[in-house]
Amino acid sequence: MSDETDELPEGVETRRRTRWSGLVGLTLTRWRQRATGTTAGRIASTVGAVALTIAFLLVVTGIALALADGGATSRDDADVRITPTEGSTLSSVDGVEGPRLGATNERADTIRSHDGVEHASPVLVETARLESTDGDPRTVRLVGVVPDGESRTVAGLLTDRLESGDSHYANGSYDGPRNGEIVLSRTAADRLGASDGDELAVSRGPMRSNETAVTVTVAAVGDGGGGEGGEGGAPVALAHASELQSLSGAADGQLADRVLVWGETDAAQSAATGAYPDASVEVAGTADPTALFEDGLAFATSVIALIVGVTICASFVATTMGMTVDEDRRTLAVLESIGVPTRGRLAVVAISTGITTFVGSLAGIALGAGGIMGVNAIASATIAPGAVAQFHPLFVPYAIAVALLSGLVAVPYPLAVAARTSVLSEVGR
Protein backbone atom coordinates (compact mmCIF):
# COMPACT_ATOMS: atom_id res chain seq x y z
CA MET A 1 0.00 0.00 0.00
CA SER A 2 2.74 2.37 0.99
CA ASP A 3 4.80 1.39 -2.09
CA GLU A 4 1.93 2.35 -4.45
CA THR A 5 1.59 5.68 -2.66
CA ASP A 6 5.33 6.38 -3.17
CA GLU A 7 5.29 5.52 -6.89
CA LEU A 8 2.38 7.83 -7.81
CA PRO A 9 4.08 11.15 -6.98
CA GLU A 10 7.22 10.02 -8.82
CA GLY A 11 5.19 9.38 -11.99
CA VAL A 12 3.42 12.70 -11.66
CA GLU A 13 6.74 14.45 -11.23
CA THR A 14 8.13 12.76 -14.35
CA ARG A 15 5.14 13.79 -16.46
CA ARG A 16 5.42 17.33 -15.11
CA ARG A 17 9.07 17.55 -16.11
CA THR A 18 8.29 16.13 -19.53
CA ARG A 19 5.47 18.62 -20.02
CA TRP A 20 7.60 21.58 -19.00
CA SER A 21 10.49 20.42 -21.17
CA GLY A 22 8.12 20.22 -24.09
CA LEU A 23 6.80 23.72 -23.42
CA VAL A 24 10.31 25.18 -23.19
CA GLY A 25 11.36 23.41 -26.38
CA LEU A 26 8.23 24.57 -28.18
CA THR A 27 8.78 28.16 -27.01
CA LEU A 28 12.41 28.22 -28.10
CA THR A 29 11.50 26.88 -31.53
CA ARG A 30 8.65 29.37 -31.97
CA TRP A 31 10.82 32.28 -30.78
CA ARG A 32 13.56 31.41 -33.27
CA GLN A 33 11.08 31.08 -36.12
CA ARG A 34 9.38 34.35 -35.26
CA ALA A 35 12.69 36.17 -34.80
CA THR A 36 13.67 35.19 -38.33
CA GLY A 37 10.20 35.25 -39.89
CA THR A 38 7.24 37.55 -40.21
CA THR A 39 7.53 39.09 -36.73
CA ALA A 40 11.26 39.63 -36.94
CA GLY A 41 10.83 43.41 -36.87
CA ARG A 42 8.84 43.42 -33.66
CA ILE A 43 11.19 40.99 -31.95
CA ALA A 44 14.17 43.04 -33.13
CA SER A 45 12.62 46.27 -31.82
CA THR A 46 12.05 44.70 -28.39
CA VAL A 47 15.58 43.33 -28.28
CA GLY A 48 16.92 46.70 -29.43
CA ALA A 49 14.99 48.59 -26.76
CA VAL A 50 16.32 46.29 -24.06
CA ALA A 51 19.86 46.51 -25.47
CA LEU A 52 19.88 50.32 -25.59
CA THR A 53 18.49 50.57 -22.07
CA ILE A 54 21.07 48.14 -20.70
CA ALA A 55 23.86 49.93 -22.59
CA PHE A 56 22.78 53.27 -21.11
CA LEU A 57 22.71 51.72 -17.66
CA LEU A 58 26.20 50.27 -18.02
CA VAL A 59 27.69 53.52 -19.30
CA VAL A 60 26.22 55.51 -16.41
CA THR A 61 27.28 52.86 -13.90
CA GLY A 62 30.76 52.73 -15.45
CA ILE A 63 31.16 56.49 -15.08
CA ALA A 64 29.90 56.33 -11.50
CA LEU A 65 32.34 53.51 -10.77
CA ALA A 66 35.24 55.50 -12.19
CA LEU A 67 34.28 58.49 -10.07
CA ALA A 68 33.82 56.39 -6.95
CA ASP A 69 37.10 54.62 -7.56
CA GLY A 70 38.88 57.95 -7.18
CA GLY A 71 38.80 61.53 -8.32
CA ALA A 72 41.52 63.63 -9.83
CA THR A 73 44.00 62.83 -7.07
CA SER A 74 43.74 59.08 -7.71
CA ARG A 75 44.76 59.15 -11.38
CA ASP A 76 48.16 57.64 -11.91
CA ASP A 77 50.05 55.25 -14.14
CA ALA A 78 51.13 52.81 -11.42
CA ASP A 79 50.92 49.09 -12.10
CA VAL A 80 49.67 48.12 -8.64
CA ARG A 81 47.88 50.11 -5.93
CA ILE A 82 47.72 49.24 -2.25
CA THR A 83 44.78 50.75 -0.44
CA PRO A 84 43.52 50.24 3.11
CA THR A 85 40.58 48.07 4.02
CA GLU A 86 38.23 48.82 6.87
CA GLY A 87 39.35 47.61 10.26
CA SER A 88 42.81 46.51 9.22
CA THR A 89 44.64 49.78 8.86
CA LEU A 90 45.53 52.92 10.73
CA SER A 91 43.67 56.19 10.89
CA SER A 92 45.01 59.26 12.59
CA VAL A 93 41.55 60.34 13.74
CA ASP A 94 39.04 57.51 13.97
CA GLY A 95 35.55 58.39 12.78
CA VAL A 96 36.71 61.64 11.14
CA GLU A 97 39.20 60.51 8.51
CA GLY A 98 39.08 57.50 6.30
CA PRO A 99 41.37 54.55 6.96
CA ARG A 100 45.02 54.94 6.02
CA LEU A 101 47.99 52.71 5.62
CA GLY A 102 50.69 52.80 8.27
CA ALA A 103 54.48 52.56 7.99
CA THR A 104 54.18 53.45 4.31
CA ASN A 105 57.64 54.97 3.80
CA GLU A 106 59.34 52.02 5.43
CA ARG A 107 57.30 49.38 3.60
CA ALA A 108 57.55 51.21 0.27
CA ASP A 109 61.33 50.97 0.65
CA THR A 110 60.98 47.23 1.27
CA ILE A 111 58.80 46.85 -1.83
CA ARG A 112 61.40 48.69 -3.95
CA SER A 113 64.00 46.07 -3.02
CA HIS A 114 62.03 43.27 -4.75
CA ASP A 115 63.14 42.03 -8.15
CA GLY A 116 60.87 43.27 -10.92
CA VAL A 117 59.77 46.33 -8.96
CA GLU A 118 60.92 49.62 -10.45
CA HIS A 119 59.59 52.02 -7.83
CA ALA A 120 57.15 52.29 -4.95
CA SER A 121 55.82 55.44 -3.34
CA PRO A 122 53.44 56.28 -0.51
CA VAL A 123 50.76 58.76 -1.59
CA LEU A 124 49.24 61.11 0.98
CA VAL A 125 46.39 63.45 0.04
CA GLU A 126 45.66 66.49 2.21
CA THR A 127 43.76 69.73 1.78
CA ALA A 128 45.74 72.92 2.28
CA ARG A 129 45.48 76.63 1.58
CA LEU A 130 48.20 78.13 -0.56
CA GLU A 131 48.78 81.85 -0.77
CA SER A 132 50.94 83.87 -3.10
CA THR A 133 52.56 87.08 -1.98
CA ASP A 134 49.94 89.27 -3.64
CA GLY A 135 46.94 86.99 -3.79
CA ASP A 136 44.22 85.45 -1.66
CA PRO A 137 44.69 81.98 -0.17
CA ARG A 138 43.20 79.19 -2.27
CA THR A 139 42.28 75.68 -1.26
CA VAL A 140 44.33 73.04 -3.07
CA ARG A 141 44.55 69.28 -2.76
CA LEU A 142 48.17 68.48 -1.95
CA VAL A 143 49.43 65.05 -3.00
CA GLY A 144 52.60 63.80 -1.35
CA VAL A 145 54.80 61.37 -3.34
CA VAL A 146 58.35 60.06 -3.44
CA PRO A 147 59.72 60.85 -6.93
CA ASP A 148 62.54 58.79 -8.41
CA GLY A 149 63.49 60.91 -11.39
CA GLU A 150 61.52 58.80 -13.85
CA SER A 151 58.55 60.15 -15.77
CA ARG A 152 55.65 58.82 -13.69
CA THR A 153 52.16 60.23 -13.28
CA VAL A 154 50.44 60.76 -9.94
CA ALA A 155 47.24 62.81 -9.64
CA GLY A 156 47.64 63.55 -13.35
CA LEU A 157 50.96 65.38 -12.75
CA LEU A 158 54.46 64.25 -13.65
CA THR A 159 56.53 63.40 -10.59
CA ASP A 160 59.89 64.01 -12.29
CA ARG A 161 59.26 67.75 -11.98
CA LEU A 162 60.20 67.29 -8.30
CA GLU A 163 63.71 66.62 -7.02
CA SER A 164 64.33 62.87 -6.94
CA GLY A 165 64.15 61.21 -3.52
CA ASP A 166 62.62 62.31 -0.25
CA SER A 167 65.47 63.80 1.79
CA HIS A 168 63.30 65.12 4.62
CA TYR A 169 62.29 61.55 5.57
CA ALA A 170 65.87 60.76 6.68
CA ASN A 171 65.20 57.11 7.56
CA GLY A 172 62.14 57.95 9.62
CA SER A 173 63.57 60.85 11.65
CA TYR A 174 61.83 63.51 9.52
CA ASP A 175 64.64 65.94 10.24
CA GLY A 176 66.35 65.88 6.86
CA PRO A 177 66.60 68.92 4.56
CA ARG A 178 63.38 70.03 2.90
CA ASN A 179 63.17 70.45 -0.85
CA GLY A 180 60.26 72.88 -0.49
CA GLU A 181 59.07 72.17 -4.05
CA ILE A 182 55.58 71.93 -5.42
CA VAL A 183 54.12 71.08 -8.84
CA LEU A 184 50.80 72.79 -9.56
CA SER A 185 48.09 71.67 -11.93
CA ARG A 186 47.09 74.28 -14.47
CA THR A 187 43.84 74.95 -12.60
CA ALA A 188 45.64 75.42 -9.29
CA ALA A 189 48.18 77.75 -10.92
CA ASP A 190 45.42 79.84 -12.50
CA ARG A 191 43.56 80.18 -9.21
CA LEU A 192 46.72 81.21 -7.39
CA GLY A 193 48.06 83.34 -10.22
CA ALA A 194 51.32 81.44 -9.81
CA SER A 195 53.96 80.33 -12.27
CA ASP A 196 57.34 78.57 -12.22
CA GLY A 197 59.66 79.90 -9.50
CA ASP A 198 56.97 81.66 -7.45
CA GLU A 199 56.94 81.18 -3.70
CA LEU A 200 53.70 80.19 -1.98
CA ALA A 201 52.90 80.09 1.71
CA VAL A 202 51.14 76.99 2.98
CA SER A 203 48.73 78.29 5.59
CA ARG A 204 47.66 76.13 8.48
CA GLY A 205 43.96 76.26 7.63
CA PRO A 206 42.77 72.66 7.76
CA MET A 207 46.34 71.50 8.25
CA ARG A 208 47.20 70.19 11.68
CA SER A 209 50.82 71.22 11.85
CA ASN A 210 52.08 73.06 14.93
CA GLU A 211 54.81 74.64 12.89
CA THR A 212 54.73 78.14 11.48
CA ALA A 213 53.62 78.65 7.88
CA VAL A 214 55.87 76.88 5.38
CA THR A 215 56.93 78.43 2.10
CA VAL A 216 57.23 76.30 -1.01
CA THR A 217 58.51 77.09 -4.50
CA VAL A 218 56.61 76.26 -7.66
CA ALA A 219 58.87 73.83 -9.51
CA ALA A 220 56.54 73.41 -12.49
CA VAL A 221 52.98 73.93 -13.68
CA GLY A 222 51.15 71.11 -15.42
CA ASP A 223 50.42 72.18 -18.98
CA GLY A 224 47.84 69.52 -19.81
CA GLY A 225 50.12 67.69 -22.19
CA GLY A 226 50.96 64.05 -21.80
CA GLY A 227 48.24 63.52 -19.28
CA GLU A 228 49.60 66.23 -17.06
CA GLY A 229 47.80 68.89 -15.22
CA GLY A 230 44.43 69.29 -16.90
CA GLU A 231 42.48 67.04 -14.55
CA GLY A 232 39.12 68.41 -15.60
CA GLY A 233 39.64 71.57 -13.57
CA ALA A 234 40.88 69.99 -10.34
CA PRO A 235 43.21 72.22 -8.26
CA VAL A 236 45.85 69.69 -7.21
CA ALA A 237 49.56 69.90 -6.50
CA LEU A 238 52.42 67.47 -5.93
CA ALA A 239 54.88 67.73 -3.06
CA HIS A 240 57.39 65.42 -1.40
CA ALA A 241 55.63 62.83 0.75
CA SER A 242 57.59 63.29 3.98
CA GLU A 243 57.23 67.08 3.89
CA LEU A 244 53.46 66.77 3.53
CA GLN A 245 53.41 64.13 6.28
CA SER A 246 55.23 66.53 8.60
CA LEU A 247 52.89 69.38 7.75
CA SER A 248 49.73 67.36 8.24
CA GLY A 249 50.78 65.32 11.26
CA ALA A 250 50.85 62.08 9.29
CA ALA A 251 54.55 61.59 10.01
CA ASP A 252 53.57 59.90 13.27
CA GLY A 253 52.98 56.40 11.97
CA GLN A 254 54.13 57.25 8.42
CA LEU A 255 50.52 57.40 7.29
CA ALA A 256 49.43 57.56 3.66
CA ASP A 257 46.23 57.04 1.71
CA ARG A 258 47.78 54.44 -0.58
CA VAL A 259 51.04 53.05 -1.88
CA LEU A 260 51.73 52.93 -5.62
CA VAL A 261 54.01 50.34 -7.18
CA TRP A 262 55.56 50.39 -10.66
CA GLY A 263 57.20 47.43 -12.35
CA GLU A 264 56.32 43.96 -13.59
CA THR A 265 52.74 43.28 -12.60
CA ASP A 266 53.27 39.89 -10.99
CA ALA A 267 56.36 41.00 -9.07
CA ALA A 268 54.74 44.26 -7.98
CA GLN A 269 51.60 42.45 -6.86
CA SER A 270 53.60 39.85 -4.94
CA ALA A 271 55.73 42.51 -3.22
CA ALA A 272 52.64 44.57 -2.38
CA THR A 273 50.82 41.60 -0.89
CA GLY A 274 53.88 40.66 1.14
CA ALA A 275 54.21 44.17 2.55
CA TYR A 276 50.51 44.63 3.27
CA PRO A 277 48.85 41.19 3.59
CA ASP A 278 45.65 42.67 5.04
CA ALA A 279 45.29 45.58 2.61
CA SER A 280 43.59 45.68 -0.78
CA VAL A 281 46.05 45.15 -3.65
CA GLU A 282 44.64 46.27 -6.96
CA VAL A 283 46.22 45.76 -10.36
CA ALA A 284 45.96 48.67 -12.79
CA GLY A 285 43.05 48.47 -15.20
CA THR A 286 40.72 46.96 -12.65
CA ALA A 287 38.23 48.66 -10.40
CA ASP A 288 36.62 47.70 -7.13
CA PRO A 289 32.83 47.70 -7.62
CA THR A 290 32.31 48.02 -3.86
CA ALA A 291 33.60 51.59 -4.22
CA LEU A 292 30.13 52.46 -5.50
CA PHE A 293 28.69 51.73 -2.05
CA GLU A 294 31.29 53.95 -0.38
CA ASP A 295 30.57 57.03 -2.48
CA GLY A 296 27.14 58.49 -1.80
CA LEU A 297 26.83 60.44 -5.05
CA ALA A 298 28.06 57.59 -7.23
CA PHE A 299 25.76 55.14 -5.46
CA ALA A 300 22.76 57.46 -5.86
CA THR A 301 23.56 57.97 -9.54
CA SER A 302 23.77 54.22 -10.08
CA VAL A 303 20.49 53.60 -8.26
CA ILE A 304 18.72 56.31 -10.28
CA ALA A 305 20.12 54.84 -13.49
CA LEU A 306 18.93 51.40 -12.37
CA ILE A 307 15.40 52.63 -11.62
CA VAL A 308 15.19 54.56 -14.90
CA GLY A 309 16.62 51.62 -16.81
CA VAL A 310 14.21 49.08 -15.32
CA THR A 311 11.24 51.41 -15.84
CA ILE A 312 12.03 52.20 -19.47
CA CYS A 313 13.02 48.63 -20.28
CA ALA A 314 9.91 47.17 -18.65
CA SER A 315 7.68 49.68 -20.46
CA PHE A 316 9.13 48.79 -23.86
CA VAL A 317 8.97 45.06 -23.18
CA ALA A 318 5.40 45.21 -21.89
CA THR A 319 4.20 47.22 -24.86
CA THR A 320 5.95 45.33 -27.63
CA MET A 321 5.41 41.87 -26.13
CA GLY A 322 1.76 42.70 -25.50
CA MET A 323 1.34 43.68 -29.15
CA THR A 324 3.21 40.56 -30.24
CA VAL A 325 0.99 38.29 -28.14
CA ASP A 326 -2.10 40.06 -29.47
CA GLU A 327 -1.01 39.23 -33.02
CA ASP A 328 -0.27 35.65 -31.95
CA ARG A 329 -3.69 34.88 -30.45
CA ARG A 330 -4.52 32.36 -33.16
CA THR A 331 -1.54 30.23 -32.23
CA LEU A 332 -2.53 30.36 -28.56
CA ALA A 333 -6.04 29.24 -29.56
CA VAL A 334 -4.55 26.31 -31.45
CA LEU A 335 -2.56 25.32 -28.35
CA GLU A 336 -5.77 25.42 -26.33
CA SER A 337 -7.60 23.28 -28.88
CA ILE A 338 -4.96 20.54 -28.71
CA GLY A 339 -5.19 20.39 -24.92
CA VAL A 340 -2.52 22.75 -23.63
CA PRO A 341 -3.97 24.18 -20.40
CA THR A 342 -4.10 27.89 -19.58
CA ARG A 343 -1.08 27.63 -17.29
CA GLY A 344 0.94 26.07 -20.09
CA ARG A 345 -0.06 28.75 -22.63
CA LEU A 346 0.84 31.50 -20.16
CA ALA A 347 4.16 29.78 -19.56
CA VAL A 348 4.86 29.95 -23.30
CA VAL A 349 4.28 33.72 -23.22
CA ALA A 350 6.39 34.20 -20.07
CA ILE A 351 9.27 32.16 -21.46
CA SER A 352 9.15 34.10 -24.74
CA THR A 353 9.40 37.35 -22.81
CA GLY A 354 12.33 36.01 -20.82
CA ILE A 355 14.17 34.90 -23.97
CA THR A 356 13.66 38.30 -25.56
CA THR A 357 15.00 40.21 -22.58
CA PHE A 358 17.92 37.81 -22.19
CA VAL A 359 18.99 38.27 -25.81
CA GLY A 360 18.53 42.02 -25.39
CA SER A 361 20.76 42.01 -22.32
CA LEU A 362 23.57 40.27 -24.23
CA ALA A 363 23.36 42.87 -26.98
CA GLY A 364 23.20 45.60 -24.34
CA ILE A 365 26.39 44.35 -22.69
CA ALA A 366 28.23 44.59 -26.00
CA LEU A 367 26.82 48.05 -26.67
CA GLY A 368 27.58 49.17 -23.12
CA ALA A 369 31.20 48.03 -23.35
CA GLY A 370 31.53 49.83 -26.66
CA GLY A 371 29.88 52.92 -25.18
CA ILE A 372 32.33 53.00 -22.27
CA MET A 373 35.24 52.71 -24.72
CA GLY A 374 33.75 55.54 -26.77
CA VAL A 375 33.27 57.78 -23.73
CA ASN A 376 36.87 57.20 -22.67
CA ALA A 377 38.14 57.89 -26.18
CA ILE A 378 36.23 61.17 -26.38
CA ALA A 379 37.26 62.21 -22.87
CA SER A 380 40.91 61.39 -23.54
CA ALA A 381 40.83 63.47 -26.72
CA THR A 382 39.28 66.47 -25.00
CA ILE A 383 39.32 67.07 -21.24
CA ALA A 384 40.52 64.04 -19.29
CA PRO A 385 44.00 62.51 -19.13
CA GLY A 386 42.65 59.05 -18.42
CA ALA A 387 39.58 56.85 -18.36
CA VAL A 388 36.40 58.47 -17.05
CA ALA A 389 34.37 55.25 -17.19
CA GLN A 390 35.27 51.69 -16.27
CA PHE A 391 33.90 48.31 -17.27
CA HIS A 392 33.94 45.54 -14.67
CA PRO A 393 33.27 41.82 -15.29
CA LEU A 394 30.46 41.99 -12.74
CA PHE A 395 28.62 44.24 -15.19
CA VAL A 396 27.76 41.11 -17.21
CA PRO A 397 25.62 39.31 -14.59
CA TYR A 398 24.37 42.70 -13.41
CA ALA A 399 23.06 43.58 -16.88
CA ILE A 400 21.44 40.16 -17.34
CA ALA A 401 19.77 40.40 -13.92
CA VAL A 402 18.43 43.87 -14.66
CA ALA A 403 17.05 42.77 -18.03
CA LEU A 404 15.37 39.71 -16.52
CA LEU A 405 13.96 41.87 -13.72
CA SER A 406 12.54 44.23 -16.34
CA GLY A 407 10.99 41.26 -18.12
CA LEU A 408 9.49 40.07 -14.83
CA VAL A 409 7.97 43.49 -14.22
CA ALA A 410 6.64 43.66 -17.78
CA VAL A 411 5.31 40.12 -18.17
CA PRO A 412 1.89 40.62 -16.45
CA TYR A 413 0.62 42.68 -19.41
CA PRO A 414 1.33 40.12 -22.17
CA LEU A 415 0.06 37.42 -19.80
CA ALA A 416 -3.19 39.34 -19.39
CA VAL A 417 -3.54 39.58 -23.18
CA ALA A 418 -2.88 35.86 -23.52
CA ALA A 419 -5.32 34.97 -20.73
CA ARG A 420 -8.17 36.68 -22.62
CA THR A 421 -7.52 34.48 -25.66
CA SER A 422 -9.82 31.47 -26.24
CA VAL A 423 -10.76 29.16 -29.07
CA LEU A 424 -14.30 30.55 -29.22
CA SER A 425 -13.17 34.14 -29.43
CA GLU A 426 -10.70 33.33 -32.21
CA VAL A 427 -13.29 31.35 -34.17
CA GLY A 428 -15.54 34.38 -34.03
CA ARG A 429 -12.86 36.72 -35.40
Side-chain angles (χ1 to χ4, degrees):
M1 180 80 175
S2 60
D3 292 339
E4 293 177 357
T5 304
D6 293 339
E7 291 176 359
L8 183 58
E10 183 178 348
V12 171
E13 185 65 24
T14 301
R15 289 196 297 273
R16 183 178 300 170
R17 290 177 182 175
T18 303
R19 184 168 62 249
W20 279 103
S21 298
L23 286 174
V24 172
L26 172 66
T27 306
L28 288 171
T29 303
R30 288 187 66 247
W31 191 92
R32 181 176 57 80
Q33 292 175 344
R34 295 167 61 196
T36 56
T38 55
T39 59
R42 197 175 299 281
I43 296 293
S45 63
T46 308
V47 170
V50 174
L52 290 176
T53 306
I54 294 299
F56 162 77
L57 175 64
L58 293 187
V59 170
V60 173
T61 306
I63 293 174
L65 178 59
L67 292 175
D69 199 39
T73 57
S74 69
R75 293 174 184 165
D76 53 65
D77 61 356
D79 297 291
V80 170
R81 302 178 186 87
I82 308 171
T83 54
T85 55
E86 295 289 343
S88 61
T89 51
L90 299 175
S91 175
S92 53
V93 185
D94 287 342
V96 178
E97 295 179 334
R100 282 178 166 169
L101 298 170
T104 54
N105 303 66
E106 180 181 334
R107 298 193 191 186
D109 187 55
T110 302
I111 293 173
R112 290 187 206 109
S113 65
H114 281 69
D115 293 337
V117 174
E118 298 175 3
H119 184 54
S121 170
V123 175
L124 174 65
V125 181
E126 288 282 355
T127 301
R129 291 173 69 82
L130 302 183
E131 182 179 4
S132 60
T133 55
D134 55 352
D136 296 327
R138 300 291 183 182
T139 301
V140 174
R141 294 286 278 174
L142 290 180
V143 181
V145 299
V146 178
D148 66 339
E150 298 294 329
S151 180
R152 308 190 192 281
T153 301
V154 176
L157 297 168
L158 296 177
T159 62
D160 60 0
R161 301 297 191 265
L162 296 172
E163 186 70 25
S164 178
D166 197 10
S167 56
H168 181 61
Y169 174 64
N171 294 322
S173 63
Y174 288 91
D175 59 359
R178 295 176 180 270
N179 294 101
E181 295 178 329
I182 194 170
V183 177
L184 297 175
S185 70
R186 173 60 61 188
T187 300
D190 291 343
R191 290 188 181 185
L192 292 163
S195 58
D196 293 4
D198 287 352
E199 292 189 346
L200 302 172
V202 183
S203 62
R204 293 182 178 181
M207 310 288 285
R208 300 184 297 277
S209 172
N210 293 323
E211 300 179 9
T212 57
V214 175
T215 300
V216 295
T217 302
V218 179
V221 175
D223 55 10
E228 183 180 7
E231 289 302 331
V236 297
L238 291 183
H240 284 84
S242 63
E243 296 177 32
L244 183 57
Q245 286 172 324
S246 292
L247 285 168
S248 63
D252 185 11
Q254 303 180 19
L255 301 179
D257 295 274
R258 61 185 183 276
V259 174
L260 302 180
V261 185
W262 289 264
E264 298 174 6
T265 301
D266 292 340
Q269 188 174 16
S270 175
T273 303
Y276 286 98
D278 297 326
S280 173
V281 177
E282 177 185 320
V283 178
T286 62
D288 183 5
T290 60
L292 280 175
F293 300 96
E294 300 171 359
D295 188 303
L297 179 60
F299 180 70
T301 303
S302 301
V303 171
I304 292 173
L306 173 62
I307 295 173
V308 172
V310 170
T311 303
I312 295 176
C313 189
S315 300
F316 272 111
V317 172
T319 304
T320 54
M321 290 304 296
M323 296 170 67
T324 303
V325 172
D326 187 62
E327 290 182 350
D328 202 32
R329 284 186 170 189
R330 184 165 299 176
T331 303
L332 294 175
V334 171
L335 292 177
E336 181 183 4
S337 66
I338 62 175
V340 177
T342 302
R343 190 169 55 180
R345 300 195 303 276
L346 296 181
V348 170
V349 174
I351 294 171
S352 296
T353 304
I355 295 172
T356 303
T357 54
F358 178 73
V359 174
S361 69
L362 297 181
I365 291 169
L367 286 177
I372 289 175
M373 293 175 61
V375 168
N376 286 333
I378 294 173
S380 299
T382 53
I383 58 173
V388 297
Q390 295 185 4
F391 186 89
H392 194 276
L394 285 178
F395 282 8
V396 175
Y398 174 63
I400 294 174
V402 170
L404 295 180
L405 174 63
S406 301
L408 189 63
V409 173
V411 78
Y413 179 64
L415 288 181
V417 175
R420 292 199 302 267
T421 303
S422 66
V423 175
L424 293 178
S425 63
E426 291 306 305
V427 169
R429 292 179 63 182

